[in-house]
Structure formats: C-alpha cells, structure tokens
C-alpha cells in the first residue's frame, strides 16, 4: 500500500508518544498503531462506529468529559491519555455493570480462553463485585439458526451481530429486541436467520453468547493448533486460520486479507469440513487383482503405474496415454502433473474439466482472466451479474458486491433463477436457462448498433468495431427475447446503462460458457467491456467467476492440451525448446486430446489426478470408464471413477500440505500445512515425484517450495514467484520480481487490474491460447492494435 501523503496525515500524542495517522482516523486506530490497547466491545473495524458499550473511554485534553475512542476522530495536535484515574474508573464501572448479570460459567463456556470480557476484566476490571443479588437466568441454548445457538444471559448487548446482519450482510437475521436491561438478541420468526454469512456473528461475538453447534463443548482454544492458510472450498481464496485439535479440523476462522475477503468468511468455508475429517478417506493404495481393488504398498503401486504407462506409450505411442487434472490441487501439483505427461511420457494429452474459452490471438487480452479485482468492485458504479450466482458459488464476492451497493453502485442481475441480490438490485431480468451467450451478444448488438462505443481502444479501431457490429447484427434484443424469454426493452436499457457507466464490472459464471449458446460468451463480454471503456482501471473490468479453488491455477500451469505453462502454445518451437532445456526433455509440438476426447476413448491409458470425471458423464456414458486398458485415479476418496480404476492412489487434503492456489482474480496465495497428513496417504506432489522416479526421471524435488521456485523461473506470468516472495497476502499475476525487503526477503509485485496496453507490450507471452477453438470473428475486437 502506498504511503499516505504527508498533507493527509494528522499528528497527535497518545500517552506521551507521538503518532501520525491518516485524516479521519479514530483515536482507537491511532492507539493501535502505537501498540496501545484500548478495550472495545461494540466497535468493529469493518462497521460504522456506534459508541454503545462505553468501554473505550479515553481522556482528551480540553474535553470536559471522557471521550469514546471508537467514535472520536483525531485532530491535529490532539493530546490523548488512556491511563488516567478517571479513565480506569470509567472502564471499571462499565465492566462492573456488564458483570452484574453475566454468568460466571467461564469453565464451561466455549468462549473461555478467547473471550474479550474475560480478558478485559482481568486487565481493566475491578478486583471484586459489589453485587450480591441473584443473577438472571434464561432457558438455554436458543437456536437462532441451523448452525448457531444463543445463550441470552451471556449477551452484553454490544450489537455487533445485529449490525453485521443489517449493515454488512444486508439480510434478515439477528436484531436487538426489548429495551433497557431487558435488551436481548433475537430473530424475527417471519425472517429466519439463514444467511450464508451467519458464522461471522459467532466469530465477532466478544463473549460466549453466540456459539456454533459444531464446536459447542468440543474443545478449548488452548488445545488448538492454529495455522494461517487459504480456504480450498471455492475460487475466492479467502484467507483463513485453520484450527486443528490432534488430527481433526474443528473450524476455520477468518484471517483478514482486505484485498480478497475483507476480513469475512462464509459458512461453507467455516464449517463444511466433513470431507477433511471423513472416516471414508483412503488410507492405502489399491490395486485391482482378480477383479477387485485390494490394498498394496506404495512401492508396488507406483512401480505398477509407471510400468504400465511406459509399456502402453512404447507399444502404442505416447498419444495412447493421457491425463485429466484437477481444479482442486495446488499450482505445484498441477505443474508437476503436466510435466510428468509432457516430459516423462511425451504426450500433450492433458486437460481438466473447465469452461469453454475461445483461443486468444498473440497480443490479445486473455479472455479467461478477470481484468479487475475483488477489491475493485468497491469502486464500480455499475456491476452486471450475468448467468452467475455468487451468493452460493463465490459467497464473499457477493458480500463485496453488497459493500459496493452501500457505496452507491447499481447492480444489474440477469440470471435464469432468482438471486439473493435481487431485492438490492437496480435491474432484475430473468431468462430461459441455456441462453446466456445470446444475452451477451444482444448487449453487444445495442452498443455497436447505437454507436455507444467509447474510449481510446474503440477509437483506434473503427474498422474492427464495424466488423464487430456486423457479426452481431442479427442478435437484436427483440430477436433474443423470442428465444431467451427476456424483456427486450429492459435489455436495451441495460446495454445503454453499461455503455454510459462511470465504471462497470461485468461478471459471469465460468460454466455458463459450456451452455449451447456460450461458445463465444467470454469473447463477447470481453469485447463489450473494451468497447464501452470499462477496462484497464480499478472498478471497471470483466471476467469469469471460476468454479473451484484452483480453476485458474490449473489453466495457468498448463493443464490444457495445446498450451504449456503460462499459455505458451505447444506449437511454439522456441517455447518448447526453452522449457525443454529446463526439464531436460524434448517436448512434442502437436496439440493433445481434450477432456471430452480422452473420456470418449481417445486414449488407452488414463491418469486421473484429483478429479471425478464420472460426475460429468451421463449414465449411458459411464461405461466409457470401463473401456480403458489402464486407469489410474489419485484421490482422497473412492469416487465413482476410482471404483473403476486399476490403481487408486490415496491423496491428502489441502489442510495437510503446503503449496499455492490462484484465485478467481488471479491472486497467487500460499497454502500452509495445518495438520499431519492422514496416515497412509501422501500429498499429490509426493505421489507424482514417486511415479516420475519410477519412470526413470531424475526429479529431486523435496518440498513444494522448490517446485514453486521452478514455476517462478519458467512461467512468465509467475515470474519471481516463491513462497517467501508471495508473503502473507499473495499477489495478482502477471508477477514481476520486486526489490528485497530490508531483511533480505525477496518480493514480487502484482497487477490488481489488467490493461489492454499490457498485452500489446507483451506482458502475456506471444502465441497464447485458450485450449479450445480457433481465433475467429468473435474475437475481432479483442485483438491488438490495428495496423
């Protein structure tokens, strides 16, 4: 973050120590910068100040009474004291009142050991109580949602939970009921608390009033091993703290990274951990003998895999072997998987299940890259959600959109099904499922036909704009309305709104590109953004919301049949030679088979890493999985695909290994091992190294850090990447090596948004491709500058 300009800084003194903070800061934030604790209950840095608990009293020179540090803005020359007798007395009085009816049940309270009331009473409270009357009691616990229980007598009425529901989640939920000493948290029976963000109120509750069913009476905070990592349950990549007791993940808490999650976490990331803790996970390799999968040793299994793959490749040619990768494994594992197939077996038959993105031309913007960022949504004036449901699929993106709405953004929801953002949207349009691509072309039709293009990009390409207009001439809103069942007038109005927006962001679901009309969806929306000037700056851009935690990383690492890592074409001789020199191999220049072609019987031996292709096959097609001469599956569970395998190799969960993920906004982030691997299972990268060595390859990787360093040397978009350089918060590609820190730690600088000039200058390697299709008229505008 850039240093605050000097003229925007305010100078003050707290407890005799000078400090400079940005104009508009609160006393509490200034004290925190100095490491001075001012206790708070009602205040939360991500919500507007309230000043209800009166716990943060401070003395300010020239003020006749004590001030609340959470509501008082700093001024030039202000003198603050946090330790005067009056301040101490005020805090003691507040705590004494709070403790009058608060039960003394710390030994059994789930919050004990991480409770602010407990801690602040110890550090700031009275030594004893003057209250000798019976405390109040309530029936307990009261369920306020399917996941959360309320102990009313513990509540201190700080109002954090109710304010979160109302002002952050902007949904029905918890509310303060009654008045005075009868004030308590409650739920309106007519408005159930079913928000996917509900778990945040448990984490922010300063006492044990709100607790999670899944954690109640399960453990104590001091028994937990706490590790900072990244959530692996969707493509947002929220930063989390993984809490483990012995060999079980009990919960994930938020670990603020303002650029990604803004300090929040959805309930999926917080509590859906059953797969990690499941007793059904595989613990030993399995080999099919006499028609049945039977336990085997690791050496036997890896020798068999290597031997059979080599045998089939030598007998029928390398093209008879293929691999299907995963959108859940780490970047390091995806990189090694395609390297094993290309350098070890001599085939480009490697792919994964993904959206259908058109090929890009040299010097073009990559059509599968989100050109802005999650944080950039806050600066948008308009946000179009087309065929996507971020609330259920990328929840924290939905929460960031709500924050943008609070800042004045207008949201346009165009989806087949009702969306949780509908009631907050400026535009709500429904259409028949499967027609997302037609909607995009209709928007482009209006912009080009009505002359609504703007910006330098469009101005420099008059001929190309005209060609683009002709390509969508038949896709008028009126014609699309007949097939897609959408209001044509409203669609025209939406196109005009986007064209005239100060800064618009266009988001769509990656899997919408697999619809019958979605073949050109990514290219059409990219062109729409470019032609309306909504590109290349914060708060304006376009991109897909990816399916899984490492969907983008899988593409980046080369799990595509016609591209090497970093989107260099396999047909590019120079790229093959450069990468082959590092790998010590001669790489094939012929593109390989796609996901569908391999599953359709295009290969005789198939290696499946962390995927379950059976999920994407109709019942009648499942027999295709029985037709392979040799099928290897590497997974945590005995999936439907694994049940048909000849060899099954047990892998570990993301909480049991180190590595990195790349989220939907191109941010590369470190994943840390939070617990010991399940006995008998191995990390995917370890298994791949073992198979490679059994094939005779001299792979010497000992840690994922060594693999990431190689990626940083060989993949241009990840230049300079290493575990130390990525740091705690990660960075958005394209990366470039930065200056070392004073301590000597390497760094990388990222790109929070992309510009079309960056691609013209060659930030992306020449000869990039999207693995499906050829560049055609639909990408006419997304190309480089016209000659």
């Amino acid at each position: 973050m850039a240093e605050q300009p000097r003229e925007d800084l305010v100078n003050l003194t707290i407890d005799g120590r000078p400090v400079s903070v940005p104009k508009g800061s609160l006393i509490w934030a200034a004290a925190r910068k100095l490491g001075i604790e001012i206790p708070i209950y009602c205040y939360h840095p991500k919500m507007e100040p309230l000043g209800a608990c009166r716990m943060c009293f401070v003395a300010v020179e020239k003020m006749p009474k004590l001030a609340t540090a959470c509501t008082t803005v700093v001024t030039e020359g202000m003198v603050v004291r946090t330790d005067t007798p009056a301040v101490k007395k005020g805090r003691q009085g507040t705590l004494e009142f709070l403790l009058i009816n608060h039960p003394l049940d710390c030994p059994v309270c789930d919050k004990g050991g991480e409770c602010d009331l407990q801690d602040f009473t110890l550090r700031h409270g009275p030594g004893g109580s003057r209250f000798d009357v019976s405390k109040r009691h309530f029936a307990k616990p009261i369920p306020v949602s399917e996941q959360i229980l309320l102990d009313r007598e513990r509540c201190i009425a700080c109002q954090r939970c109710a304010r979160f529901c109302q002002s952050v989640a902007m949904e029905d939920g918890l509310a303060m009921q009654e008045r005075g000493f009868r004030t308590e948290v409650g739920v309106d029976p007519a408005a159930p608390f079913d928000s996917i963000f509900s778990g945040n109120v448990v984490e922010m509750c300063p006492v044990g009033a709100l607790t999670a069913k899944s954690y109640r009476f399960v453990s104590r905070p001091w028994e937990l091993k706490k590790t900072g990592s990244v959530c692996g349950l969707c493509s947002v990549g929220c930063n989390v703290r993984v809490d483990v007791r012995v060999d079980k993940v009990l919960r994930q808490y938020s670990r603020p990274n303002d650029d990604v999650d803004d300090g929040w976490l959805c309930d999926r990331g917080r509590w859906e951990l059953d797969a990690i803790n499941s007793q059904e996970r595989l613990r030993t390799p399995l080999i099919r003998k006499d028609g049945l999968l039977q336990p085997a040793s690791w050496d036997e299994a890896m020798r068999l895999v290597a031997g059979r793959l080599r045998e089939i490749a030598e007998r029928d040619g390398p093209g008879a072997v293929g691999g299907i990768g995963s959108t859940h494994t780490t970047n390091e594992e995806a990189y090694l998987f395609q390297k094993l197939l290309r350098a070890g077996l001599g085939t480009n038959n490697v792919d994964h299940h993904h959206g259908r993105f058109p090929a890009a031309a040299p010097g073009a913007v990559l059509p599968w890259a989100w050109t802005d960022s999650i944080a950039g949504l806050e600066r948008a004036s308009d946000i179009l959600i087309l065929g996507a449901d971020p609330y259920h699929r990328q929840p924290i993106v939905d929460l960031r959109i709500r924050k943008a709405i609070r800042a004045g953004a207008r949201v346009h929801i165009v989806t087949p099904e009702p969306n949780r953002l509908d009631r907050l949207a400026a535009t709500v349009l429904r259409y028949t499922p499967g027609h997302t691509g037609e909607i995009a072309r209709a928007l482009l039709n209006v912009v080009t036909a009505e002359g609504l293009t703007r910006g330098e990009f469009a101005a420099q390409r008059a001929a190309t704009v005209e060609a683009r207009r002709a390509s969508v001439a038949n896709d008028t809103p009126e014609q699309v309305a007949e097939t897609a069942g959408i209001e044509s007038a409203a669609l025209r109005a939406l196109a005009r709104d986007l064209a005239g927006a100060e800064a618009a962001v266009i988001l769509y679901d990656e899997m919408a590109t697999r619809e019958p009309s979605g073949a050109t969806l990514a290219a059409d929306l990219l062109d729409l953004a470019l032609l309306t000037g909504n590109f290349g700056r914060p708060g304006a851009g376009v991109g897909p919301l990816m399916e899984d935690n490492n969907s983008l990383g899988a593409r980046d690492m080369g799990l595509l049949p016609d591209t090497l890592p970093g989107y260099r074409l396999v047909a590019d001789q120079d790229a093959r030679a450069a990468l082959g020199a590092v790998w010590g191999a001669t790489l094939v220049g012929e593109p390989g088979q796609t996901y569908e072609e391999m599953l359709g019987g295009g290969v005789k031996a198939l290696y499946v890493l962390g995927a379950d292709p059976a999920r994407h096959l109709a019942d009648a097609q499942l027999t295709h999985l029985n037709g392979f001469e040799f099928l290897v599956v590497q997974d945590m569970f005995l999936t439907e695909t694994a049940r048909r395998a000849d060899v099954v190799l047990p892998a570990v969960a993301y909480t049991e290994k180190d590595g990195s993920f790349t989220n939907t906004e191109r941010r590369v982030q470190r994943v840390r091992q939070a617990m010991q691997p399940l006995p008998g299972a191995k990390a995917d990268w370890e298994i791949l190294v073992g198979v490679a060595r059994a094939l005779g390859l001299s792979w010497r990787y000992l840690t994922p850090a060594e693999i990431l360093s190689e990626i940083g040397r060989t993949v241009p978009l990840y230049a300079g990447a290493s575990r130390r350089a990525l740091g705690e918060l990660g960075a958005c590609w394209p990366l470039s090596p930065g200056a070392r820190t004073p301590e000597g730690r390497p760094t990388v600088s990222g790109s929070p948004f992309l510009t079309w000039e960056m691609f013209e200058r060659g930030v992306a390697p020449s000869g990039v491709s999207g693995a499906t299709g050829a560049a055609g008229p639909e990408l006419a505008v997304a190309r480089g500058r016209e000659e």
Side-chain angles (χ1 to χ4, degrees), residues 110 145-149 198-199 202 210-220 224 243 245 248-253 266-274 277:
D110 282 309
S145 75
E146 293 184 2
Q147 299 282 356
I148 301 172
L149 302 174
S198 66
V202 174
L210 294 166
T211 54
K213 282 184 180 180
S214 60
Y215 185 73
R216 193 174 176 89
F217 304 139
V218 170
S219 183
R220 308 299 274 169
L224 301 175
D243 288 359
R245 184 174 185 266
K248 188 174 183 180
V249 179
L250 297 185
R251 64 185 183 185
Q252 289 190 150
Y253 262 21
C266 76
D267 290 356
R268 272 171 51 199
R270 190 178 300 277
W271 292 319
E272 289 189 12
L273 306 169
D274 291 346
N277 299 322

Side-chain angles (χ1 to χ4, degrees), residues 652-672:
V652 303
Y654 71 93
T655 56
E656 299 168 339
K657 60 187 176 185
D658 290 328
S660 65
F661 293 150
T662 302
N663 76 352
T664 195
E665 65 163 359
R666 301 171 286 107
R667 183 172 296 272
V668 188
Q669 300 184 99
R670 294 168 56 182
V671 178
R672 293 180 178 84

Side-chain angles (χ1 to χ4, degrees), residues 564 568-577 589 766-767:
L564 302 171
R568 292 162 296 179
L569 289 171
V570 297
D572 185 334
Q573 184 174 352
D574 292 339
R576 292 200 316 274
S766 61

Side-chain angles (χ1 to χ4, degrees), residues 218-292:
V218 170
S219 183
R220 308 299 274 169
W222 54 84
E223 297 175 326
L224 301 175
K225 177 189 174 186
K226 303 172 182 179
T227 305
S229 190
V230 174
C231 180
L233 297 180
C234 85
S235 62
V236 178
C238 295
N239 288 210
V240 295
R241 190 191 78 199
V242 185
D243 288 359
V244 174
R245 184 174 185 266
V246 189
D247 59 352
K248 188 174 183 180
V249 179
L250 297 185
R251 64 185 183 185
Q252 289 190 150
Y253 262 21
S254 65
R255 182 173 64 91
N257 182 341
D258 287 350
D259 288 335
V260 178
D261 48 58
D262 208 25
W264 308 118
L265 188 62
C266 76
D267 290 356
R268 272 171 51 199
R270 190 178 300 277
W271 292 319
E272 289 189 12
L273 306 169
D274 291 346
I276 299 172
N277 299 322
S278 174
Q279 295 298 312
E280 296 181 4
R281 286 180 55 184
L282 297 171
R283 294 171 178 263
T284 184
L286 302 173
I287 292 177
R288 189 170 298 279
K289 298 177 180 178
D290 300 324
L292 299 175

Side-chain angles (χ1 to χ4, degrees), residues 44 47 144-145 147-148 160-174 192-205 210 234 236 238 252-254 260-272 389-403 405-406 419-421 423-424:
H44 190 282
M47 296 189 290
V144 294
S145 75
Q147 299 282 356
I148 301 172
R160 280 187 183 179
C161 57
R163 291 165 60 221
F164 172 83
C165 295
Q166 295 159 11
S167 64
V168 179
M170 302 171 70
E171 292 194 312
D172 295 327
L174 303 180
F193 187 27
D194 61 352
S195 172
I196 200 171
F197 311 114
S198 66
N200 289 286
V201 304
V202 174
E203 184 174 340
M204 69 168 52
C205 180
L210 294 166
C234 85
V236 178
C238 295
Q252 289 190 150
Y253 262 21
S254 65
V260 178
D261 48 58
D262 208 25
W264 308 118
L265 188 62
C266 76
D267 290 356
R268 272 171 51 199
R270 190 178 300 277
W271 292 319
E272 289 189 12
D389 183 9
Y391 181 87
H392 291 102
R393 289 166 63 78
Q394 301 87 13
I396 296 301
V397 169
D398 177 279
L399 200 61
R400 188 76 73 151
I401 293 171
R402 293 166 192 261
K403 187 175 182 179
I405 292 172
R406 296 195 299 275
N419 193 291
R420 288 287 281 251
L421 283 169
R423 64 185 181 84
L424 303 173

Side-chain angles (χ1 to χ4, degrees), residues 64 66 95 109 131 174 178 290-291 373 375 422 440 548 562 655 664:
L66 296 179
L95 285 166
C109 177
F131 187 76
L174 303 180
E178 300 292 345
D290 300 324
S373 65
D422 283 352
D548 297 317
D562 63 348
T655 56
T664 195

